[in-house]
Short mmCIF file of all heavy atoms in Angstrom, two decimals:
data_model
loop_
_atom_site.label_atom_id
_atom_site.label_comp_id
_atom_site.label_asym_id
_atom_site.label_seq_id
_atom_site.Cartn_x
_atom_site.Cartn_y
_atom_site.Cartn_z
N LEU E 9 3.95 20.57 -2.30
CA LEU E 9 4.91 20.41 -3.34
C LEU E 9 4.45 21.16 -4.53
O LEU E 9 3.24 21.52 -4.61
CB LEU E 9 4.85 18.89 -3.72
CG LEU E 9 3.59 18.33 -4.31
CD1 LEU E 9 3.96 17.60 -5.55
CD2 LEU E 9 2.86 17.38 -3.38
N LEU E 10 5.41 21.45 -5.31
CA LEU E 10 5.06 22.18 -6.49
C LEU E 10 4.15 21.25 -7.27
O LEU E 10 3.33 21.73 -8.04
CB LEU E 10 6.33 22.52 -7.29
CG LEU E 10 6.03 23.25 -8.58
CD1 LEU E 10 5.70 24.68 -8.35
CD2 LEU E 10 7.09 23.06 -9.56
N ILE E 11 3.85 20.83 -6.91
CA ILE E 11 2.85 20.09 -7.35
C ILE E 11 2.35 18.99 -6.63
O ILE E 11 1.65 18.92 -6.46
CB ILE E 11 3.08 19.62 -7.94
CG1 ILE E 11 2.61 20.60 -6.20
CG2 ILE E 11 2.94 19.62 -7.31
CD1 ILE E 11 2.81 21.88 -5.97
N PHE E 12 3.01 17.88 -6.67
CA PHE E 12 1.64 17.73 -6.91
C PHE E 12 1.12 16.42 -6.72
O PHE E 12 1.51 15.46 -7.17
CB PHE E 12 1.25 18.05 -8.21
CG PHE E 12 1.87 19.19 -8.90
CD1 PHE E 12 3.11 19.66 -8.66
CD2 PHE E 12 1.10 19.89 -9.79
CE1 PHE E 12 3.54 20.66 -9.28
CE2 PHE E 12 1.53 20.89 -10.35
CZ PHE E 12 2.79 21.38 -10.16
N LEU E 13 0.18 16.13 -6.91
CA LEU E 13 -0.57 14.97 -7.02
C LEU E 13 -1.63 15.25 -8.06
O LEU E 13 -2.71 15.36 -7.74
CB LEU E 13 -1.05 14.68 -5.66
CG LEU E 13 -2.31 15.01 -5.27
CD1 LEU E 13 -2.66 15.84 -4.29
CD2 LEU E 13 -3.02 13.75 -5.24
N ILE E 14 -1.02 15.53 -9.14
CA ILE E 14 -2.05 15.99 -10.20
C ILE E 14 -2.16 14.95 -11.16
O ILE E 14 -1.33 14.17 -11.52
CB ILE E 14 -1.56 17.35 -10.80
CG1 ILE E 14 -0.27 17.16 -11.47
CG2 ILE E 14 -1.56 18.43 -9.85
CD1 ILE E 14 0.26 18.32 -12.28
N CYS E 15 -3.36 15.00 -11.79
CA CYS E 15 -3.68 14.13 -12.82
C CYS E 15 -3.10 14.63 -14.05
O CYS E 15 -2.50 13.95 -14.89
CB CYS E 15 -5.20 13.99 -12.91
SG CYS E 15 -5.91 13.49 -14.51
N GLN E 16 -3.24 15.93 -14.33
CA GLN E 16 -2.72 16.56 -15.49
C GLN E 16 -2.45 18.00 -15.21
O GLN E 16 -3.18 18.58 -14.40
CB GLN E 16 -3.49 16.31 -16.76
CG GLN E 16 -4.44 17.45 -17.11
CD GLN E 16 -5.33 17.06 -18.26
OE1 GLN E 16 -5.86 15.96 -18.28
NE2 GLN E 16 -5.43 18.01 -19.14
N ILE E 17 -1.48 18.56 -15.78
CA ILE E 17 -1.31 19.99 -15.64
C ILE E 17 -0.96 20.62 -17.01
O ILE E 17 -0.18 19.99 -17.67
CB ILE E 17 -0.19 20.32 -14.61
CG1 ILE E 17 0.01 21.80 -14.48
CG2 ILE E 17 1.08 19.62 -14.88
CD1 ILE E 17 0.91 22.20 -13.35
N THR E 18 -1.61 21.62 -17.32
CA THR E 18 -1.31 22.30 -18.59
C THR E 18 -1.16 23.74 -18.31
O THR E 18 -1.78 24.30 -17.36
CB THR E 18 -2.38 22.03 -19.67
OG1 THR E 18 -3.60 22.40 -19.19
CG2 THR E 18 -2.34 20.57 -20.04
N SER E 19 -0.38 24.39 -19.09
CA SER E 19 -0.25 25.87 -18.90
C SER E 19 -0.66 26.58 -20.21
O SER E 19 -0.31 26.09 -21.28
CB SER E 19 1.24 26.10 -18.64
OG SER E 19 1.54 27.48 -18.63
N CYS E 20 -1.33 27.66 -20.02
CA CYS E 20 -1.80 28.40 -21.18
C CYS E 20 -0.88 29.60 -21.33
O CYS E 20 -0.81 30.45 -20.48
CB CYS E 20 -3.21 28.96 -20.90
SG CYS E 20 -3.77 30.09 -22.12
N ILE E 21 -0.10 29.59 -22.36
CA ILE E 21 0.86 30.69 -22.66
C ILE E 21 0.29 31.43 -23.88
O ILE E 21 0.25 30.96 -24.96
CB ILE E 21 2.26 30.09 -22.99
CG1 ILE E 21 2.60 29.05 -21.98
CG2 ILE E 21 3.29 31.19 -23.09
CD1 ILE E 21 2.71 29.57 -20.52
N SER E 22 -0.07 32.70 -23.59
CA SER E 22 -0.49 33.57 -24.73
C SER E 22 0.74 34.15 -25.52
O SER E 22 1.75 34.52 -24.82
CB SER E 22 -1.31 34.76 -24.19
OG SER E 22 -2.48 34.30 -23.61
N GLN E 23 0.58 34.20 -26.77
CA GLN E 23 1.68 34.87 -27.57
C GLN E 23 1.69 36.33 -27.18
O GLN E 23 2.74 36.91 -27.11
CB GLN E 23 1.40 34.69 -29.04
CG GLN E 23 1.19 33.23 -29.48
CD GLN E 23 2.44 32.43 -29.17
OE1 GLN E 23 3.54 32.89 -29.26
NE2 GLN E 23 2.22 31.16 -28.69
N LYS E 24 0.58 36.94 -27.06
CA LYS E 24 0.41 38.34 -26.69
C LYS E 24 -0.81 38.42 -25.67
O LYS E 24 -1.71 37.69 -25.77
CB LYS E 24 0.12 39.24 -27.83
CG LYS E 24 1.15 39.19 -28.99
CD LYS E 24 0.61 39.96 -30.20
CE LYS E 24 0.81 39.02 -31.33
NZ LYS E 24 -0.07 39.13 -32.37
N PRO E 25 -0.69 39.26 -24.73
CA PRO E 25 -1.84 39.37 -23.67
C PRO E 25 -3.15 39.53 -24.43
O PRO E 25 -4.14 39.08 -23.90
CB PRO E 25 -1.42 40.52 -22.80
CG PRO E 25 0.09 40.60 -22.89
CD PRO E 25 0.42 40.16 -24.30
N GLN E 26 -3.20 40.22 -25.54
CA GLN E 26 -4.49 40.52 -26.17
C GLN E 26 -4.95 39.36 -27.09
O GLN E 26 -6.05 39.44 -27.66
CB GLN E 26 -4.46 41.84 -26.91
CG GLN E 26 -3.57 41.88 -28.12
CD GLN E 26 -2.07 42.25 -27.85
OE1 GLN E 26 -1.69 42.17 -26.67
NE2 GLN E 26 -1.34 42.59 -28.84
N ASP E 27 -4.12 38.40 -27.25
CA ASP E 27 -4.42 37.17 -28.17
C ASP E 27 -5.70 36.59 -27.70
O ASP E 27 -5.68 35.99 -26.60
CB ASP E 27 -3.25 36.22 -28.16
CG ASP E 27 -3.41 35.16 -29.16
OD1 ASP E 27 -4.47 35.09 -29.87
OD2 ASP E 27 -2.51 34.28 -29.24
N PRO E 28 -6.77 36.55 -28.47
CA PRO E 28 -8.01 35.94 -28.07
C PRO E 28 -8.02 34.40 -28.00
O PRO E 28 -8.84 33.87 -27.27
CB PRO E 28 -9.07 36.50 -29.10
CG PRO E 28 -8.26 36.79 -30.31
CD PRO E 28 -6.88 37.18 -29.78
N GLN E 29 -7.18 33.86 -28.74
CA GLN E 29 -7.04 32.31 -28.73
C GLN E 29 -5.69 31.88 -28.30
O GLN E 29 -4.82 31.52 -29.16
CB GLN E 29 -7.39 31.83 -30.15
CG GLN E 29 -8.85 32.06 -30.60
CD GLN E 29 -9.81 31.37 -29.75
OE1 GLN E 29 -9.60 30.25 -29.30
NE2 GLN E 29 -10.88 32.06 -29.42
N PRO E 30 -5.45 31.83 -26.96
CA PRO E 30 -4.10 31.36 -26.53
C PRO E 30 -3.83 29.92 -26.92
O PRO E 30 -4.80 29.09 -27.03
CB PRO E 30 -4.14 31.58 -25.00
CG PRO E 30 -5.59 31.55 -24.65
CD PRO E 30 -6.32 32.08 -25.88
N SER E 31 -2.63 29.53 -27.08
CA SER E 31 -2.29 28.14 -27.38
C SER E 31 -2.01 27.53 -25.98
O SER E 31 -1.45 28.13 -25.11
CB SER E 31 -1.04 28.07 -28.28
OG SER E 31 0.04 28.70 -27.70
N TRP E 32 -2.34 26.22 -25.87
CA TRP E 32 -2.07 25.47 -24.66
C TRP E 32 -0.77 24.60 -24.84
O TRP E 32 -0.56 24.03 -25.90
CB TRP E 32 -3.33 24.55 -24.38
CG TRP E 32 -4.41 25.35 -23.87
CD1 TRP E 32 -5.46 25.81 -24.58
CD2 TRP E 32 -4.71 25.63 -22.49
NE1 TRP E 32 -6.41 26.45 -23.81
CE2 TRP E 32 -5.94 26.37 -22.47
CE3 TRP E 32 -4.09 25.43 -21.27
CZ2 TRP E 32 -6.46 26.90 -21.34
CZ3 TRP E 32 -4.62 25.86 -20.05
CH2 TRP E 32 -5.84 26.55 -20.13
#
Side-chain angles (χ1 to χ4, degrees):
L9 65 131
L10 175 80
I11 79 308
F12 315 35
L13 97 237
I14 59 173
C15 158
Q16 97 186 44
I17 177 170
T18 55
S19 174
C20 173
I21 312 300
S22 294
Q23 303 303 321
K24 301 173 230 149
Q26 70 273 17
D27 186 358
Q29 295 297 322
S31 61
W32 286 91

